[in-house]
Amino acid sequence: MSLAARPAASAIDLNRSAVSRYIQLATLFRRRIEQGVWKTGAQIPTVDDLAAECGVARATIRQALGQLEAEGLIERFRAKGTFVRQPPTENRIWCEVETDWTGLLRARDGAEIEVLGETRGVLEIPAPPSEMGVKAPRYAHIRRRHWRDGQPFLVTEVFLDQRLRAKVTAADLRGKTALKLASGIPGVQITEAWQTLTIGTADVETATALQLPLNAPVALVRRAAMDQNGVLILVADGIYRGDVVRIDIKLR
């Protein structure tokens, strides 16, 4: 079907979500910038035009554009209009979610890990990606945040068999990925490991930790590892910023 023969696009329906309309529109406009529909340096449609397109009040459009302006994506000039000022996201994607064992053990170049807190004696842990191993009696729950170039890109919740916690140093916590923490413990051999990935949006806590707008896209990764004794020694949840993450999988 040619472009000319395609039916006209239906009006944007903002009533399908409980999320505030201006947040929905900010997400839509952000995607237009990321995909190059609104190109860097170009002027975007006026508030009146966007209000007519989206079927909302001009004040709602101004709120959405205000969010993009706060993120540094656009710049507004009195009597001139609004212009895109930041390159599309693909030029800023640098955080690869690894899909092989070697990659999962490798620390990200230039990354720093901040330990946010720790709780010991934890009984309940997130469900592993599949039925695997026997749960340890108790776990140490370690909360961490990963930074690069002054920007947080990942927050993690690590549940480690508490019997192994004493063998993990403070330097390990600040410099190793979750799976490398577990696999580097003397006497531990990882016999099975799993990873699952889903796409979601940032809640209030995550948005604050990663310095993101509420409901911005994020990648949710859960990893688990079992040792040579069949014990589930590690379950780790990671939430990545969606605007810097990439997943490459070799199919053949």
Side-chain angles (χ1 to χ4, degrees), residues 163-196:
R163 295 170 296 184
L164 303 174
R165 177 62 183 87
K167 299 180 180 180
V168 176
T169 68
D172 291 334
L173 291 179
R174 294 193 303 269
K176 293 183 177 180
T177 64
L179 285 175
K180 193 167 185 177
L181 275 178
S183 64
I185 295 173
V188 169
Q189 180 183 352
I190 303 298
T191 57
E192 292 189 54
W194 281 263
Q195 172 175 264
T196 60

Side-chain angles (χ1 to χ4, degrees), residues 45-205:
T46 66
V47 169
D48 286 344
D49 288 342
L50 290 173
E53 175 194 351
C54 301
V56 298
R58 291 192 296 272
T60 304
I61 296 295
R62 291 193 187 97
Q63 277 185 291
L65 295 179
Q67 187 163 328
L68 298 189
E69 186 175 29
E71 296 171 30
L73 292 172
I74 62 173
E75 192 168 10
R76 293 188 273 190
F77 298 94
R78 184 180 297 276
K80 288 182 60 179
T82 302
F83 296 80
V84 178
R85 61 173 297 194
Q86 186 159 312
T89 297
E90 57 263 29
N91 295 331
R92 298 184 288 118
I93 290 178
W94 50 263
C95 179
E96 296 180 0
V97 175
E98 304 288 356
T99 56
D100 66 288
W101 178 248
T102 301
L104 289 170
L105 294 180
R106 185 171 56 244
R108 198 162 309 283
D109 292 341
E112 299 177 358
I113 301 176
E114 172 191 11
V115 179
L116 299 175
E118 179 174 352
T119 304
R120 302 199 185 188
V122 174
L123 296 174
E124 296 300 320
I125 62 173
S130 61
E131 293 298 326
M132 60 179 288
V134 177
K135 283 177 60 178
R138 294 179 186 274
Y139 289 84
H141 173 205
I142 305 159
R143 295 168 295 281
R144 305 194 297 176
R145 178 164 50 182
H146 299 235
W147 297 74
R148 177 174 158 176
D149 298 331
Q151 179 186 72
F153 67 90
L154 167 66
V155 288
T156 60
E157 308 278 341
V158 179
F159 294 83
L160 178 69
D161 185 339
Q162 188 164 293
R163 295 170 296 184
L164 303 174
R165 177 62 183 87
K167 299 180 180 180
V168 176
T169 68
D172 291 334
L173 291 179
R174 294 193 303 269
K176 293 183 177 180
T177 64
L179 285 175
K180 193 167 185 177
L181 275 178
S183 64
I185 295 173
V188 169
Q189 180 183 352
I190 303 298
T191 57
E192 292 189 54
W194 281 263
Q195 172 175 264
T196 60
L197 183 145
T198 55
I199 303 302
T201 56
D203 57 25
V204 173
E205 233 175 26

